[in-house]
Amino acid sequence: QVQLVESGGGLVQAGGSLRLSCAASGRTFSSYAMGWFRQAPGKEREFVSAISRSGGSTAYADSVKGRFTISRDNAKNTVYLQMNSLKPEDTAVYSCAAEAGPIQTNGRVYDYWGQGTQVTVSS
């Protein structure tokens, strides 16, 4: 079992930056690929980024490629999402998720989810 807690959300102006953190419980963090997803009001959950168990592979949605960077520190049981050049369309609740397997972009295959953290980008 894995418990995930996101933090770092907030209100920023367009063009600004924000770093999200996701802290995981347990001793098997390195056994899980990790992903970030977001959901805006009235819309379905959307894949944002993912990172493999070792951190050697990453994946990004086209909408955030070049602006967002995912990373992980297995010694700290934490995954990060550095968000730069933020746009109002990035406004959403951002959730991290853990998957006991290879890197995936499909949220339906993820096993554990955090509660989410709100990111609001003003224009």
Side-chain angles (χ1 to χ4, degrees):
Q1 300 185 33
V2 177
Q3 293 184 357
L4 306 172
V5 180
E6 303 95 335
S7 62
L11 174 64
V12 298
Q13 292 182 309
S17 298
L18 207 60
R19 188 182 75 161
L20 305 183
S21 299
C22 175
S25 66
R27 301 170 61 187
T28 59
F29 177 72
S30 62
S31 298
Y32 293 86
M34 300 294 296
W36 285 98
F37 297 79
R38 66 188 183 186
Q39 187 168 23
K43 295 192 174 183
E44 294 188 63
R45 186 176 59 203
E46 174 189 22
F47 167 76
V48 177
S49 185
I51 188 166
S52 62
R53 288 166 285 189
S54 68
S57 298
T58 58
Y60 298 92
D62 288 342
S63 59
V64 307
K65 193 172 300 181
R67 299 188 297 120
F68 291 10
T69 302
I70 190 170
S71 62
R72 69 190 296 163
D73 186 340
N74 287 347
K76 296 182 178 179
N77 284 8
T78 303
V79 63
Y80 305 94
L81 185 68
Q82 178 67 47
M83 305 184 295
N84 298 326
S85 301
L86 283 162
K87 306 174 181 179
E89 63 196 73
D90 295 319
T91 296
V93 173
Y94 284 71
S95 300
C96 67
E99 172 201 5
I103 187 170
Q104 296 284 349
T105 61
N106 185 352
R108 295 177 61 88
V109 307
Y110 281 77
D111 300 302
Y112 304 99
W113 293 83
Q115 83 292 337
T117 185
Q118 177 71 48
V119 172
T120 302
V121 184
S122 62
S123 61

